[in-house]
Amino acid sequence: MRTALFPGTFDPITEGHLDILRRAMHVFDKVIVAVAAGIHKETLFSLAERRELVEQSTQGIEGVTVMEFDGLLVELAERENAVAVVRGLRFVSDFEYELQLALMNRQLNPRFETVFMMPSARYSFLNATIVREVARLGGDISTLVPPLVAERLRQRFNRK
Ligand code: ADP
């Protein structure tokens, strides 16, 4: 049984996250989506809301579990017996930070691997920040996030 962690802020979960998650399910038996408390970031949705949106959006994907976390990723990995962390790579610009993170996690636990996955080109421009911004301005984000998330964003920004 191979378990991986898929950590992030998920503020909110997008089709880009789901694309990576589906790919990860082809490689691992179980993927734990670890929703970060995000104390260093100002988030639009609370931790409980972000977790709930992830849970609802991943209901149809077998092998996925969702949890909140606010500690060291390598400690969560040890607790959950996870062998790897999955991260999405969109642009070269993601790479520098991701490499730093991966090497630090390896320093903390040499047996914990980082696996990078590339999303469909369709989602390679997508991040949660841009989704929040477009939703705030009333733009159509219905193809970029699950329907429940689109609805929640509309409510949050009071749009019809
Ligand atoms: P962001 O705020 O950048 O959307 P998160 O902090 O929630 O992302 O990221 C969690 C993980 O999901 C990261 O590994 C990030 O690279 C990945 N990710 C986010 N959006 C996409 C996307 N559109 N395509 C591929 N990976 C993505």
Side-chain angles (χ1 to χ4, degrees):
M1 178 93 171
R2 300 229 146 228
T3 301
L5 304 179
F6 182 41
T9 314
F10 303 99
D11 186 34
I13 186 165
T14 68
E15 290 295 339
H17 293 126
L18 289 170
D19 180 288
I20 296 295
L21 193 53
R22 288 196 191 93
R23 288 172 204 281
M25 284 317 310
H26 294 153
V27 179
F28 296 98
D29 303 300
K30 177 178 168 188
V31 176
I32 299 171
V33 183
V35 184
I39 26 180
H40 55 294
K41 277 194 194 172
E42 184 74 20
T43 57
L44 176 66
F45 293 104
S46 71
L47 179 58
E49 285 173 311
R50 287 182 280 128
R51 180 204 169 126
E52 184 217 332
L53 290 174
V54 172
E55 267 166 359
Q56 305 245 19
S57 309
T58 57
Q59 258 172 13
I61 315 176
E62 209 180 317
V64 172
T65 45
V66 185
M67 55 181 69
E68 297 173 8
F69 99 109
D70 65 356
L72 271 179
L73 199 63
V74 290
E75 283 173 4
L76 180 64
E78 253 164 57
R79 271 205 308 278
E80 298 297 327
N81 256 325
V83 293
V85 53
V86 171
R87 299 286 290 174
L89 267 192
R90 287 158 287 193
F91 314 103
V92 178
S93 56
D94 278 344
F95 185 75
E96 218 171 311
Y97 174 66
E98 291 295 339
L99 180 64
Q100 204 177 9
L101 218 59
L103 293 179
M104 179 50 83
N105 281 330
R106 177 177 287 166
Q107 164 89 21
L108 295 171
N109 179 351
R111 285 158 46 85
F112 186 55
E113 292 297 339
T114 299
V115 174
F116 292 113
M117 298 190 122
M118 277 60 70
S120 156
R122 221 163 5 141
Y123 302 127
S124 65
F125 68 96
L126 192 61
N127 65 38
T129 308
I130 209 160
V131 164
R132 289 196 303 273
E133 196 53 19
V134 172
R136 190 174 69 81
L137 298 170
D140 179 14
I141 38 104
S142 58
T143 58
L144 307 178
V145 295
L148 173 70
V149 174
E151 181 51 37
R152 205 61 72 80
L153 281 165
R154 270 192 295 273
Q155 284 170 4
R156 183 56 55 98
F157 294 118
N158 258 320
R159 302 263 174 192
K160 281 271 145 60

